[in-house]
Amino acid sequence: MRYLIAVLAIAGIVISTLALRVHYSTDTAPCSINEKWDCGIVNHSPYAEIRGVPVAAIGIAGYLLIGILAILRRRSWVLAAALIGMTFALYLTNIEAHVLGVWCLYCAISQGIIALVTLLSIGWVVRA
């Protein structure tokens, strides 16, 4: 279970890194699909940073922490970190849906990853 969570954490780091690249880019975002799906709009919005720190960088740090904790077999800490990450991702998803009205493909993929990590970590803690 811990290796699966660690692999998902690596996937989360990759997706968050792609989002961070969009955050700092002035080019057209590679995931600018239409007026409802545009990572550039989301990653350049005022909600893309918290006190000057890009949300994508926070995601990279969070996934890194989850991966390390999983490898170290810290089940409860993985669950706590996953729940915090899931809460944060749901907050950001709410902003995309109700404030910006635009979705980020990278953010949606990250939401799926953190949801899987959360479910797996719940199962890991319950099974133990």
Side-chain angles (χ1 to χ4, degrees):
M1 189 80 70
R2 68 185 173 127
Y3 292 117
L4 181 54
I5 291 171
V7 167
L8 286 169
I10 291 168
I13 290 169
V14 170
I15 290 296
S16 296
T17 301
L18 291 171
L20 186 62
R21 197 173 104 204
V22 170
H23 178 78
Y24 285 116
S25 174
T26 56
D27 296 334
T28 302
C31 57
S32 177
I33 300 166
N34 58 36
E35 69 278 352
K36 288 293 183 185
W37 287 90
D38 191 331
C39 295
I41 291 173
V42 174
N43 281 292
H44 292 115
S45 78
Y47 302 98
E49 291 185 356
I50 297 176
R51 297 188 178 183
V53 178
V55 168
I58 295 169
I60 291 168
Y63 282 121
L64 181 62
L65 176 66
I66 288 170
I68 290 169
L69 290 171
I71 294 300
L72 296 175
R73 293 186 177 112
R74 302 288 192 247
R75 290 181 195 93
S76 315
W77 287 99
V78 170
L79 177 56
L83 289 171
I84 291 167
M86 186 69 186
T87 302
F88 189 55
L90 288 171
Y91 164 74
L92 295 172
T93 300
N94 183 56
I95 289 172
E96 287 178 330
H98 299 105
V99 178
L100 299 175
V102 178
W103 297 92
C104 168
L105 183 61
Y106 297 144
C107 303
I109 293 169
S110 181
Q111 176 72 45
I113 291 170
I114 195 64
L116 283 172
V117 168
T118 301
L119 291 172
L120 287 170
S121 60
I122 289 169
W124 196 21
V125 168
V126 168
R127 197 175 79 178

